[in-house]
Structure formats: C-alpha cells, structure tokens
Amino acid sequence: MRKQAKKQLCESMEYLIHTAETIGDLLGRLSREQATDILAQMQELVIHAGETIETTGNDCVEIIEKLENACEIIYQLSGSLDEFKARIHLMKELKELFDAVHNEIRRNIPEKLEILFLPYQVSMWDSLESVWQAAKDRDDMDCYVVPIPFYDVLPDNSLGNIHYEGDRYPDYVPVTSYLKYSIEARRPDVIFFHNPYDEYNRVTRIPEQYYSKNLKKSTDMLVYVPYFVSEEDGPAEYQCYTSGVLFADRVIVQPGSIYKKYCRVYTNVVRHNGLEHTLIPAEQKFLPLGSPKFDKVLNMKYELEDLPEAWQKVIRKPDGSRKKILLYNLSISPMLENREQTLKKLDNVFQFFRERREELVLLWRPHPLLTKTIESMVPWLLDAYMQRVRQFQEEGWGIYDETPDPNLAMVLSDGYYGDMSSLVTTYRETGKPILLQDAYILD
C-alpha cells in the first residue's frame, strides 16, 4: 500500500476511534435524524477503509472481518439509540474493534513508496537509469518512468515544435505515458528529475507543469540528478543554483571538490538573497553519491554482431578484423565560442580520417542539442554546418551517431577526440586515451 494511502487510512481509523469514544452519550441527546446521520457517516468511512485495504492485494482477511463486524454494530446502534446501556456497550465494542483494526493496519500492511522518474531526452536517461534499476525490484517501491515532452526554443525565445521520445527508450524500461500519469492526483512519494532549468533553458524547454517549482507541490521528496558530470573544478557556478537545485529537496552530486563547490556557491546565493529560512541548508540538500552516468558506461556490454549493419560495414576490414574507432565529439560551448573556426576544424578532421579510412573509423557524435543550439543562437551557421553533416553521412567512411544512448559510442570506441565536455569526464572512467581538440590547430 502506498505510504500516503496508509497514512490516510490510519487517520480515518483514528477519527473513528475518537468518535466511538466521545459520542456514546451524545447520541441519546440528538434527534434521531442527527444521530442516524452520524452513524451513516461512520459506516461510510468503515466501508471505504475496507475497500482500500482489499485493493492492496495483501492477506487482510482478519482486518476485513473486523470491519464487517463494525458495520454490523453500527447497524445495531441505529436501533438502540433510546437504550442507554445497550448504546454504551455497543460503542465500547465498536471502539475496541477500531483499535484492533488500527493496530493491525500499522503492523501488518507494508508500506510502498511510489517513485516517479521524469526524464525528457532519452540521451540523458543514463543519469537516472542506475537509480531506477536499484529501486524497480524492491518490494517496498512502485516505480514509474514517465518521459515528458519538450519544445524547441526559437531565437526570439518563443516555443517551436514539441517532441516526445518515450518510444525511444530501451525495451527493458517500462514507459508510462505522461498523458496517463497525473502527478497532482497521484502525489508520488519521491520524484527524480534531470532538467534543472525550468523556463530559463534557451535551447529546449519542458511544459510548465514539469518545472521543478511545480513538481515540489506534488511530492514530499524532489530529487535532482544532474544530466552531466563535471571535472574536478566543478560545474559552472550558475549550475549550482539553477531552479532545479533551489527547489529540490536533495541533489545527487559527485564527491570531493565538486560537492564542495555546489555547497559553497549555493550557500553564498542563499545568504546573499536572505533565503536561509526558506531553502534547505547545503549540507542537507547535497548528497555526494557520485553520478549514475558512471555506472552505465562501466556496466555496458556489446557484441559487434549486435551493432547496426551500416556500422559493422564501416568497422570491419576486408579480412574480418576490426578497425580502430575514435569517438569524435563536438560540444555546444566551443561551437558558440569558435563559430566559423569550428567548421574549418571539422573539414580538417574529416580530411585526416578520410585519408586513413582503411585503418581508422571516425565515430562522430555531436552533442544531441548542437543542431538546435546553432539554429537558436547562431542561425547563420546552420546551413554550413548541416552541409558538413550531409557530406559526412553520404561519403560513408565514418559513423554518424544519432542513437539516443551515448554510452554505446564510449564502450565501442578505442579512444576519444574532440571538445572538452561532460562526456570526457565519463569517458575517463573507461581508462581509454583522450585527446582534446583545439579548433585553431589545423595541422
């Protein structure tokens, strides 16, 4: 039984116990109509309690029998309103039954927490997956994965097309449609989410009802897990006090210097804005438990035969052996900083690997939001960038990775080349070599 439902059930029984204790004498002084109305309300509460208990699927035969006996006593009371001794005796029996039911509910009906996972882009699901895996098989938890839609944000900050990626999750993840899960009605005990920006995201934006400030109204425990991982110097300062960080009850972060930075920056923001009595203290909010993204990349396995046929064709040499694969990553910030120079660098990288196609494979995986970011923030570069994407795909000597899960590219590749990003931090866990690119070196 849901923890919240059990709490409400216990509160109903406490109300019935109190009523049975206090109204024995009162019933004799009320009009028959008033007394009958009170008894009818008690009977409705008892019936509702029985129906709630029956839906739990637990073996609650004795509790149900006691509630049925309580209904019978209430019926007898309605015929004994004028008999003081009989009425007091029946009320005593009724209270004893309610006491027994209350104790059995508390002791014998196990509580279940309802845990809601709210990913939006499937490429970021790895920031929640290992948490979901740890919770989904527990007997005391019911878990729901509810991917939510998101909009493109246009250059004028208006909303463009809406996207939904619920059909792109792995087969082993049971997905519940956001249209069939009402957060306000169900009030899950815990909500995990990974989009911390609410209305301030300039590239994609989720619907307002999923903003962290609104989620907080419908749960007792809102948990933010960053969709990215950070180097030792930690995330950008603004990422330590986004809306998601401020409204979350708990924030799962990497340990050490990263944890300390979150605490320091957040605490300074809270003090500067006089929010000490409004927001949770840093030492209570931030939990240095690491990132689920590391769990994903370290536990993932693959077989060459399981890869897409087009990938296998590029990877295999004529003799059946495997070429070396380099994961090439373009990130958002360097593109916005270097702009046209990044396009020159792309041409340079493509030429290098094109000439070595017999031994090397370039597995190009741009940031999933790179194209949308270019369109939104540097739209004059979009045509030139997309021309290079099309050329790379058409030439067919490399792999253009648009799959939702970045972990396959990290596990499949023999080394990393490209921009500094959170992907580098995760890739380092594999122990494979990493080389960061400089857009201004074209040799």
Side-chain angles (χ1 to χ4, degrees), residues 227-254:
Y227 63 89
F228 56 88
V229 290
S230 303
E231 290 289 291
E232 283 301 308
D233 58 351
E237 288 206 355
Y238 78 89
Q239 291 177 311
C240 299
Y241 58 87
T242 58
S243 298
V245 171
L246 296 179
F247 286 102
D249 297 294
R250 300 291 184 271
V251 179
I252 310 299
V253 300
Q254 295 161 254

Side-chain angles (χ1 to χ4, degrees), residues 57-80:
N58 296 299
D59 185 10
C60 300
V61 175
E62 292 185 9
I63 298 179
I64 298 299
E65 285 179 355
K66 287 183 174 66
L67 290 174
E68 289 172 348
N69 290 340
C71 286
E72 176 59 30
I73 291 175
I74 292 172
Y75 174 75
Q76 293 176 25
L77 270 167
S78 64
S80 307

Side-chain angles (χ1 to χ4, degrees), residues 212-324:
S212 55
K213 60 187 176 186
N214 293 326
L215 295 178
K216 185 68 194 87
K217 300 172 186 175
S218 297
T219 185
D220 295 327
M221 181 59 64
L222 183 62
V223 183
Y224 165 52
V225 184
Y227 63 89
F228 56 88
V229 290
S230 303
E231 290 289 291
E232 283 301 308
D233 58 351
E237 288 206 355
Y238 78 89
Q239 291 177 311
C240 299
Y241 58 87
T242 58
S243 298
V245 171
L246 296 179
F247 286 102
D249 297 294
R250 300 291 184 271
V251 179
I252 310 299
V253 300
Q254 295 161 254
S257 61
I258 297 168
Y259 165 73
K260 291 176 183 176
K261 181 171 184 178
Y262 270 102
C263 290
R264 183 182 72 254
V265 174
Y266 169 83
T267 299
N268 288 340
V269 169
V270 168
R271 287 175 180 165
H272 180 74
N273 291 278
L275 298 172
E276 292 92 337
H277 302 295
T278 303
L279 296 179
I280 297 171
E283 59 272 17
Q284 184 180 341
K285 180 184 288 277
F286 297 103
L287 303 177
L289 302 177
S291 173
K293 294 175 77 70
F294 295 149
D295 301 331
K296 176 72 173 181
V297 74
L298 292 176
N299 295 326
M300 189 173 187
K301 308 294 181 188
Y302 83 96
E303 297 293 338
L304 196 58
E305 293 73 19
D306 297 331
L307 297 176
E309 216 171 291
W311 290 27
Q312 293 187 46
K313 185 178 178 182
V314 175
I315 293 170
R316 292 186 190 276
K317 295 180 180 180
D319 62 3
S321 62
R322 179 184 181 278
K323 299 176 186 177
K324 291 287 185 181

